[in-house]
């Protein structure tokens, strides 16, 4: 079964064609980063306007990359939440237009479930159950993936998402947008133990995250250096901040997997492209005898292939949408599935 999928929840306009949920036949991603860079972050209305202009061309590109035509497509998948409402509406409307004109079923996909499904593309043999750490610009979740349509959130951020913290700290350090890759790169030249920023673990046995205290600690440190007229070693701040984020993500995830007797962990979302997170999680998972999975960086950040994978499993579960499909900017994980 070949699904043409559309992802426009934030600032990537992406269209993919995925076969049977596991094989990427094409995955075109038009990133608006250069447009939003000058504002230091995504401007929602500008994102929507660019999706409207780009989407038809990206559909054409995805078809031509796969060597297929519309007549080869069996269904249309689309991210309908969570995300920026205007941006989602463009993708949902475009996908509905395709489904209607081609007479194909339409399948709404939850964006975070899509991020998790990126692992199915990377590892064709991977099956649930597993624990997923989903870390992106908008989310930091620990999710028990019981099967393809049963998701239980065990922990979530109480304030900033991990990627949001990266983006904010990058901005104050003058490293630009998006912050994750910039800090990842800058940190390589820095000493991660130069500054001891706080690690916020919250209550014992809580799987929730909190990154706002760390963000304030970095801002306070930068302010105090400024007041004292001392120079800031940007690479050291980047490395020390990154270690504080990653240590908490790794400790909580491993603890959660061990407590819940899970022998598989999957990472997903933009922040799972982080080099330190990958290496530290790998070392801790190996020591605990847990298998670790994470997709190639291109499948970690927003892309339509992951949506095409999840759309297939929604289809198998009978979770089809129809032309009443709408954007749901704060959609709950698992809410679109029949039990
Ligand atoms: O999954 P994603 O593309 O979009 C959302 O659903 O939010 O994630 C984007 C986030 C941004 O905050 C970006 O700074 C972060 O992922 N990111 C990274 C890295 N690459 C992207 N964070 C840390 N290290 C990276 N290498
Ligand atoms: Zn995302």
């Amino acid at each position: 079964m070949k699904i043409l999928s559309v992802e426009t929840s934030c600032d990537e306009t992406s269209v993919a064609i995925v076969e049977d949920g596991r094989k990427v036949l094409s995955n075109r991603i038009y990133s608006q980063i250069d447009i939003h860079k000058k504002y230091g972050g995504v401007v929602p209305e500008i994102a929507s306007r660019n999706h409207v202009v780009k989407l038809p061309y990206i559909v054409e590109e995805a078809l031509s990359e796969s060597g297929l035509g519309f007549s080869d497509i069996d269904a249309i998948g689309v991210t309908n939440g969570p995300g920026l409402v205007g941006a989602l509406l463009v993708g949902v409307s475009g996908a509905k237009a395709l489904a209607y004109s081609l007479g194909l079923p339409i399948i709404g996909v939850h964006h975070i479930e899509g991020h998790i499904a990126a692992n199915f593309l990377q590892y064709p043999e991977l099956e649930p159950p597993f624990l997923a750490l989903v870390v992106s610009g908008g989310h930091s979740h620990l999710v028990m993936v019981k099967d393809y349509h049963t998701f239980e959130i065990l922990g979530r951020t109480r304030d900033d998402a991990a990627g949001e913290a990266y983006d904010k700290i990058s901005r104050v350090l003058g490293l630009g947008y998006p912050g994750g890759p910039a800090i990842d790169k800058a940190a390589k030249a820095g000493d991660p133990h130069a500054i001891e920023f706080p690690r916020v673990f919250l209550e014992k046995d809580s799987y929730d995250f909190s990154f706002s205290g760390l963000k304030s600690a970095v801002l306070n440190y930068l302010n105090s250096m400024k007041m004292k007229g001392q120079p800031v070693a940007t690479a050291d701040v980047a490395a020390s901040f990154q270690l504080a984020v990653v240590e908490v993500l790794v400790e909580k995830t491993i603890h959660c997997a061990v407590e819940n007797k899970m022998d598989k962990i999957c990472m997903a979302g933009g922040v799972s492209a982080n080099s330190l997170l990958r290496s530290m999680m790998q070392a801790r998972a190996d020591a605990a005898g847990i298998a670790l999975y994470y997709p190639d960086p291109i499948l970690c950040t927003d892309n339509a292939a992951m949506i095409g994978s999840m759309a297939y499993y929604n289809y198998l579960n009978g979770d089809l949408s129809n032309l009443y499909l709408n954007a749901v900017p704060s959609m709950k994980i698992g809410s679109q599935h029949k039990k």
Side-chain angles (χ1 to χ4, degrees):
M1 175 173 190
K2 296 183 187 74
I3 297 182
L4 183 149
S5 51
V6 175
E7 155 63 43
T8 63
S9 68
C10 192
D11 61 339
E12 267 88 25
T13 317
S14 182
V15 179
I17 299 170
V18 172
E19 190 171 357
D20 296 337
R22 298 279 175 163
K23 191 169 174 212
V24 182
L25 303 181
S26 63
N27 187 23
R28 301 299 303 170
I29 305 165
Y30 166 71
S31 171
Q32 302 179 9
I33 282 177
D34 285 342
I35 297 168
H36 298 278
K37 230 175 198 163
K38 51 182 173 291
Y39 306 103
V42 177
V43 182
E45 186 178 331
I46 295 177
S48 310
R49 287 171 180 272
N50 279 286
H51 288 314
V52 167
V53 174
K54 289 289 173 188
L55 187 57
Y57 298 99
I58 310 298
V59 170
E60 286 296 326
E61 282 184 20
L63 284 170
S64 103
E65 184 177 295
S66 67
L68 301 174
F70 280 126
S71 59
D72 300 305
I73 304 299
D74 301 300
I76 305 294
V78 62
T79 307
N80 67 319
L84 302 171
V85 65
L88 288 166
L89 283 169
V90 177
V92 169
S93 305
K96 280 202 223 183
L98 285 172
Y100 180 69
S101 55
L102 299 169
L104 295 176
I106 184 161
I107 308 161
V109 174
H110 188 285
H111 182 74
I112 301 299
E113 295 175 23
H115 270 301
I116 293 170
N119 285 282
F120 299 139
L121 299 170
Q122 190 76 40
Y123 304 96
E125 77 291 356
L126 174 69
E127 304 263 2
F130 53 76
L131 177 67
L133 171 69
V134 186
V135 270
S136 70
H139 304 270
S140 300
H141 281 3
L142 270 169
V143 186
M144 191 60 79
V145 182
K146 296 181 173 172
D147 55 40
Y148 291 100
H149 51 271
T150 314
F151 302 83
E152 185 187 347
I153 297 185
L154 301 181
R156 64 173 84 220
T157 183
R158 295 190 186 167
D159 37 60
D160 291 356
E164 201 178 346
Y166 265 95
D167 292 339
K168 285 180 184 166
I169 296 305
S170 178
R171 195 179 316 154
V172 294
L173 287 175
L175 294 173
Y177 174 83
I183 289 188
D184 200 353
K185 189 164 167 229
K188 291 199 179 5
D191 173 5
H193 300 288
I195 311 140
E196 278 305 303
F197 290 128
R199 275 74 168 149
V200 179
F201 284 97
L202 301 167
E203 309 83 40
K204 190 176 169 303
D205 291 335
S206 167
Y207 299 130
D208 283 351
F209 300 103
S210 169
F211 295 108
S212 69
L214 169 61
K215 187 184 67 190
S216 305
V218 178
L219 295 177
N220 289 343
Y221 171 82
L222 294 173
N223 264 336
S224 77
M225 295 299 277
K226 197 172 166 193
M227 305 277 270
K228 289 188 239 164
Q230 290 179 5
V232 169
T234 302
D236 285 350
V237 179
S240 302
F241 160 78
Q242 173 158 280
L243 184 63
V245 174
V246 168
E247 267 186 16
V248 173
L249 292 175
V250 171
E251 285 311 314
K252 289 226 173 214
T253 306
I254 298 289
H255 180 64
C256 185
V258 171
E259 290 284 299
N260 289 282
K261 300 187 174 39
M262 270 293 133
D263 59 359
K264 284 184 259 178
I265 294 174
C266 292
M267 297 201 290
V271 182
S272 66
N274 186 261
S275 60
L276 185 71
L277 177 61
R278 287 169 172 235
S279 61
M280 278 185 66
M281 192 72 88
Q282 190 69 65
R284 292 282 279 107
D286 289 348
I290 296 170
L292 178 66
Y293 303 84
Y294 48 81
D296 285 344
I298 195 69
L299 294 173
C300 287
T301 46
D302 289 349
N303 67 89
M306 67 187 197
I307 303 304
S309 173
M310 194 59 219
Y312 175 72
Y313 290 101
N314 286 3
Y315 181 86
L316 292 188
N317 195 45
D319 300 325
L320 289 180
S321 316
N322 56 37
L323 293 177
Y324 288 106
L325 184 69
N326 207 343
V328 186
S330 53
M331 192 195 294
K332 285 199 175 66
I333 196 163
S335 61
Q336 290 195 124
H337 303 295
K338 291 191 187 70
K339 292 296 169 207

